[in-house]
Amino acid sequence: MGVLQALQRTPGALKRAPGLVVPQLLVFVLLLPQLLLQSAYPLVSALYSLGSSAVLLLGMPFIQGGMFGMADEALTTRSSLSRFLSDGKSNYLQLLIAYVLLLVVNGVIGALGVAAGFGAFLTHDAVRMVFVGLVAVAVLVYLLVAFFVQFYGQAIVISGASAIASFKRSYRVVRTNLLAAIGYTLLAMVIGALGGGVYAGVSLLARPEATSISGLPTLSVPLLIVVGLLAAVIGSVVSTFMLTFSVAVYDEFTTT
């Protein structure tokens, strides 16, 4: 019931804090040149991607902190971008530390999985199954880590936990609400897949090779920009909804 109640509370929170869309929209607009340049100027697109990734690595903790704070406030009352700024600044360091730690852990798991994958191609049949098993274990560990620590950001901003304690807090919240957390994760995957599918479909219109395969005319530069902005709006709305939904779920899990 908690997940469904959180889903019902999410639209109301977005109405009370329409400014929640703004930070996510800025993120997608930042990524827009990469989308528009990837076909005509792949090298420029790759260089821009590296630069934007560095900006997002440093800026995402601030954005997450501000949006978690706004969404939490919007569950009960109106919220504004001033809350976004205050929570973004006050939680930036802890979110950055947690974000980097999670990147390192996932990087190690991914590296082990890739190494095992190469081993599966380079060894004899008797040993190959061992490496295939190691790849499966790496994938399973990655999914379990993602599942149990998915509320670390909410734990930092809403519960005031430190970077390390946020992982423990998220684990306890998920373990205590295990079946509901599984249901929420599956529902979030479905909603995310539907929204991501629409975003990907609109994004494909900006790629000349996709339009030629589908028989559609190649878009002019102004239309490319319009399509890119439309994709950015769709992506930002879906992302904002999912983030607010996650905060509502965390609130339900921690108050029941």
Side-chain angles (χ1 to χ4, degrees):
M1 289 297 293
V3 175
L4 294 180
Q5 290 175 347
L7 186 61
Q8 293 172 352
R9 296 172 66 191
T10 300
L14 292 174
K15 289 180 181 179
R16 288 187 289 270
L20 270 168
V21 180
V22 174
Q24 287 285 17
L25 183 59
L26 292 177
V27 171
F28 278 92
V29 169
L30 176 65
L31 300 175
L32 183 58
Q34 178 186 344
L35 173 66
L36 299 179
L37 293 171
Q38 61 186 350
S39 295
Y41 305 99
L43 179 58
V44 176
S45 176
L47 293 174
Y48 183 85
S49 176
L50 289 174
S52 60
S53 296
V55 172
L56 289 177
L57 175 63
L58 296 176
M60 191 55 69
F62 179 85
I63 295 172
Q64 283 184 326
M67 292 191 69
F68 283 141
M70 277 189 72
D72 182 53
E73 185 176 54
L75 289 175
T76 54
T77 185
R78 296 187 64 85
S79 188
S80 65
L81 289 175
S82 61
R83 178 65 184 266
F84 171 82
L85 295 174
S86 62
D87 276 344
K89 289 187 293 185
S90 60
N91 296 286
Y92 177 79
L93 182 59
Q94 294 303 319
L95 283 169
L96 179 62
I97 294 172
Y99 188 52
V100 172
L101 287 175
L102 200 53
L103 282 178
V104 172
V105 171
N106 288 335
V108 171
I109 296 172
L112 293 175
V114 171
F118 278 116
F121 287 102
L122 299 175
T123 56
H124 299 291
D125 292 339
V127 185
R128 184 174 295 129
M129 294 305 298
V130 175
F131 283 102
V132 171
L134 290 176
V135 172
V137 170
V139 172
L140 179 61
V141 170
Y142 173 82
L143 293 176
L144 286 175
V145 169
F147 176 67
F148 279 104
V149 305
Q150 61 181 306
F151 296 113
Y152 79 91
Q154 292 89 333
I156 291 174
V157 178
I158 299 171
S159 301
S162 65
I164 301 298
S166 69
F167 296 127
K168 299 177 183 178
R169 170 74 171 172
S170 178
Y171 172 79
R172 287 196 298 269
V173 169
V174 172
R175 185 189 61 185
T176 305
N177 303 274
L178 187 58
L179 292 179
I182 293 174
Y184 159 69
T185 302
L186 294 176
L187 180 59
M189 289 173 61
V190 171
I191 297 174
L194 293 175
V198 175
Y199 173 78
V202 174
S203 300
L204 282 175
L205 295 176
R207 306 188 64 172
E209 59 268 28
T211 55
S212 62
I213 292 174
S214 61
L216 296 173
T218 302
L219 300 180
S220 62
V221 174
L223 284 178
L224 278 175
I225 295 175
V226 171
V227 168
L229 289 174
L230 178 61
V233 170
I234 293 173
S236 60
V237 170
V238 173
S239 298
T240 303
F241 181 90
M242 296 305 299
L243 183 141
T244 307
F245 182 31
S246 74
V247 171
V249 168
Y250 182 81
D251 183 67
E252 292 288 336
F253 284 175
T254 54
T255 55
T256 58

